[in-house]
Short mmCIF file of all heavy atoms in Angstrom, two decimals:
data_model
loop_
_atom_site.label_atom_id
_atom_site.label_comp_id
_atom_site.label_asym_id
_atom_site.label_seq_id
_atom_site.Cartn_x
_atom_site.Cartn_y
_atom_site.Cartn_z
N ILE A 150 25.15 85.61 -89.61
CA ILE A 150 25.35 86.71 -90.56
C ILE A 150 24.06 87.50 -90.78
O ILE A 150 23.03 86.94 -91.14
CB ILE A 150 25.88 86.17 -91.90
CG1 ILE A 150 27.26 85.55 -91.70
CG2 ILE A 150 25.96 87.27 -92.95
CD1 ILE A 150 27.81 84.83 -92.91
N THR A 151 24.14 88.81 -90.56
CA THR A 151 23.02 89.71 -90.83
C THR A 151 23.36 90.71 -91.93
O THR A 151 22.48 91.41 -92.43
CB THR A 151 22.65 90.51 -89.56
OG1 THR A 151 23.79 91.27 -89.13
CG2 THR A 151 22.23 89.58 -88.44
N LYS A 152 24.63 90.76 -92.32
CA LYS A 152 25.09 91.76 -93.27
C LYS A 152 26.02 91.13 -94.29
O LYS A 152 26.88 90.30 -93.94
CB LYS A 152 25.82 92.88 -92.53
CG LYS A 152 26.36 94.00 -93.41
CD LYS A 152 27.10 95.03 -92.55
CE LYS A 152 27.71 96.12 -93.42
NZ LYS A 152 28.48 97.10 -92.61
N LEU A 153 25.86 91.51 -95.56
CA LEU A 153 26.75 91.05 -96.62
C LEU A 153 27.57 92.24 -97.13
O LEU A 153 27.02 93.29 -97.41
CB LEU A 153 25.96 90.45 -97.77
CG LEU A 153 25.16 89.18 -97.47
CD1 LEU A 153 24.40 88.73 -98.72
CD2 LEU A 153 26.05 88.06 -96.96
N GLY A 154 28.87 92.04 -97.24
CA GLY A 154 29.73 93.07 -97.79
C GLY A 154 29.68 93.09 -99.30
O GLY A 154 28.85 92.43 -99.93
N SER A 155 30.59 93.78 -99.91
CA SER A 155 30.61 93.90 -101.37
C SER A 155 31.24 92.66 -102.01
O SER A 155 32.24 92.14 -101.54
CB SER A 155 31.42 95.13 -101.77
OG SER A 155 31.61 95.17 -103.16
N PHE A 156 30.60 92.21 -103.08
CA PHE A 156 31.15 91.12 -103.89
C PHE A 156 31.58 91.63 -105.27
O PHE A 156 31.75 90.85 -106.21
CB PHE A 156 30.10 90.01 -104.06
CG PHE A 156 29.79 89.28 -102.79
CD1 PHE A 156 28.62 89.54 -102.08
CD2 PHE A 156 30.66 88.33 -102.29
CE1 PHE A 156 28.32 88.87 -100.91
CE2 PHE A 156 30.37 87.64 -101.12
CZ PHE A 156 29.21 87.92 -100.42
N ASP A 157 31.78 92.92 -105.39
CA ASP A 157 32.16 93.53 -106.67
C ASP A 157 33.47 92.93 -107.18
O ASP A 157 34.43 92.75 -106.42
CB ASP A 157 32.32 95.04 -106.51
CG ASP A 157 31.00 95.77 -106.32
OD1 ASP A 157 29.96 95.12 -106.54
OD2 ASP A 157 31.02 96.95 -105.94
N GLY A 158 33.49 92.66 -108.48
CA GLY A 158 34.71 92.18 -109.10
C GLY A 158 34.95 90.69 -109.01
O GLY A 158 35.92 90.19 -109.57
N LEU A 159 34.06 89.95 -108.33
CA LEU A 159 34.24 88.50 -108.20
C LEU A 159 33.65 87.81 -109.43
O LEU A 159 32.60 87.17 -109.37
CB LEU A 159 33.61 88.00 -106.90
CG LEU A 159 34.20 88.60 -105.61
CD1 LEU A 159 33.54 88.00 -104.38
CD2 LEU A 159 35.72 88.41 -105.56
N VAL A 160 34.36 87.94 -110.54
CA VAL A 160 33.83 87.52 -111.84
C VAL A 160 33.75 86.00 -111.99
O VAL A 160 33.05 85.50 -112.87
CB VAL A 160 34.70 88.10 -112.98
CG1 VAL A 160 34.57 89.61 -113.02
CG2 VAL A 160 36.17 87.69 -112.82
N ASN A 161 34.45 85.27 -111.13
CA ASN A 161 34.43 83.81 -111.22
C ASN A 161 33.55 83.14 -110.17
O ASN A 161 33.43 81.91 -110.16
CB ASN A 161 35.86 83.26 -111.08
CG ASN A 161 36.74 83.68 -112.25
OD1 ASN A 161 36.45 83.36 -113.40
ND2 ASN A 161 37.82 84.40 -111.96
N LEU A 162 32.96 83.91 -109.28
CA LEU A 162 32.18 83.34 -108.18
C LEU A 162 30.93 82.66 -108.73
O LEU A 162 30.07 83.30 -109.32
CB LEU A 162 31.81 84.42 -107.18
CG LEU A 162 31.24 83.95 -105.84
CD1 LEU A 162 32.17 82.95 -105.16
CD2 LEU A 162 30.98 85.13 -104.92
N THR A 163 30.85 81.34 -108.53
CA THR A 163 29.81 80.51 -109.14
C THR A 163 28.86 79.93 -108.10
O THR A 163 27.67 79.75 -108.37
CB THR A 163 30.47 79.36 -109.94
OG1 THR A 163 31.41 79.92 -110.87
CG2 THR A 163 29.43 78.57 -110.72
N PHE A 164 29.38 79.62 -106.91
CA PHE A 164 28.59 78.96 -105.86
C PHE A 164 28.65 79.78 -104.57
O PHE A 164 29.75 80.10 -104.09
CB PHE A 164 29.12 77.56 -105.57
CG PHE A 164 29.25 76.68 -106.79
CD1 PHE A 164 30.46 76.60 -107.47
CD2 PHE A 164 28.17 75.94 -107.26
CE1 PHE A 164 30.58 75.80 -108.60
CE2 PHE A 164 28.28 75.14 -108.38
CZ PHE A 164 29.49 75.07 -109.05
N ILE A 165 27.47 80.11 -104.01
CA ILE A 165 27.42 80.78 -102.70
C ILE A 165 26.44 80.03 -101.81
O ILE A 165 25.27 79.85 -102.16
CB ILE A 165 26.97 82.25 -102.83
CG1 ILE A 165 27.96 83.05 -103.66
CG2 ILE A 165 26.83 82.88 -101.45
CD1 ILE A 165 27.60 84.53 -103.79
N HIS A 166 26.93 79.61 -100.64
CA HIS A 166 26.12 78.94 -99.63
C HIS A 166 25.99 79.88 -98.43
O HIS A 166 26.98 80.15 -97.75
CB HIS A 166 26.78 77.63 -99.18
CG HIS A 166 26.92 76.61 -100.26
ND1 HIS A 166 26.19 75.45 -100.30
CD2 HIS A 166 27.73 76.58 -101.35
CE1 HIS A 166 26.54 74.74 -101.36
NE2 HIS A 166 27.47 75.41 -102.02
N LEU A 167 24.78 80.35 -98.16
CA LEU A 167 24.53 81.27 -97.05
C LEU A 167 23.39 80.77 -96.15
O LEU A 167 22.82 81.55 -95.38
CB LEU A 167 24.19 82.66 -97.58
CG LEU A 167 25.36 83.46 -98.16
CD1 LEU A 167 24.87 84.65 -98.96
CD2 LEU A 167 26.33 83.90 -97.07
N GLN A 168 23.08 79.50 -96.23
CA GLN A 168 21.96 78.98 -95.44
C GLN A 168 22.28 78.97 -93.93
O GLN A 168 23.42 79.00 -93.53
CB GLN A 168 21.57 77.57 -95.91
CG GLN A 168 22.63 76.49 -95.80
CD GLN A 168 23.44 76.33 -97.05
OE1 GLN A 168 23.75 77.30 -97.74
NE2 GLN A 168 23.82 75.09 -97.35
N HIS A 169 21.22 78.99 -93.15
CA HIS A 169 21.32 78.98 -91.68
C HIS A 169 22.07 80.22 -91.19
O HIS A 169 23.09 80.13 -90.50
CB HIS A 169 21.99 77.70 -91.18
CG HIS A 169 21.14 76.47 -91.35
ND1 HIS A 169 20.14 76.12 -90.46
CD2 HIS A 169 21.14 75.53 -92.31
CE1 HIS A 169 19.56 74.99 -90.88
NE2 HIS A 169 20.15 74.63 -92.00
N ASN A 170 21.57 81.40 -91.57
CA ASN A 170 22.07 82.66 -91.05
C ASN A 170 20.87 83.52 -90.64
O ASN A 170 19.79 82.99 -90.39
CB ASN A 170 22.96 83.34 -92.08
CG ASN A 170 24.37 82.78 -92.09
OD1 ASN A 170 25.13 82.97 -91.14
ND2 ASN A 170 24.73 82.07 -93.15
N GLN A 171 21.05 84.82 -90.58
CA GLN A 171 19.98 85.72 -90.13
C GLN A 171 19.77 86.84 -91.16
O GLN A 171 19.53 87.99 -90.81
CB GLN A 171 20.33 86.29 -88.75
CG GLN A 171 20.47 85.23 -87.69
CD GLN A 171 21.04 85.74 -86.37
OE1 GLN A 171 21.01 86.95 -86.09
NE2 GLN A 171 21.57 84.85 -85.56
N LEU A 172 19.83 86.49 -92.42
CA LEU A 172 19.76 87.48 -93.49
C LEU A 172 18.33 87.89 -93.81
O LEU A 172 17.42 87.05 -93.82
CB LEU A 172 20.40 86.91 -94.75
CG LEU A 172 21.93 86.77 -94.71
CD1 LEU A 172 22.41 85.88 -95.84
CD2 LEU A 172 22.60 88.15 -94.77
N LYS A 173 18.15 89.17 -94.13
CA LYS A 173 16.87 89.69 -94.61
C LYS A 173 17.03 90.11 -96.08
O LYS A 173 18.14 90.30 -96.57
CB LYS A 173 16.41 90.85 -93.75
CG LYS A 173 16.13 90.40 -92.32
CD LYS A 173 15.49 91.47 -91.47
CE LYS A 173 15.16 90.93 -90.08
NZ LYS A 173 14.54 91.95 -89.21
#
Side-chain angles (χ1 to χ4, degrees):
I150 296 173
T151 59
K152 180 182 177 182
L153 296 179
S155 172
F156 292 103
D157 288 348
L159 299 182
V160 294
N161 295 301
L162 192 55
T163 307
F164 307 94
I165 298 181
H166 297 250
L167 287 166
Q168 61 267 37
H169 290 278
N170 279 291
Q171 299 170 19
L172 289 165
K173 296 188 176 180

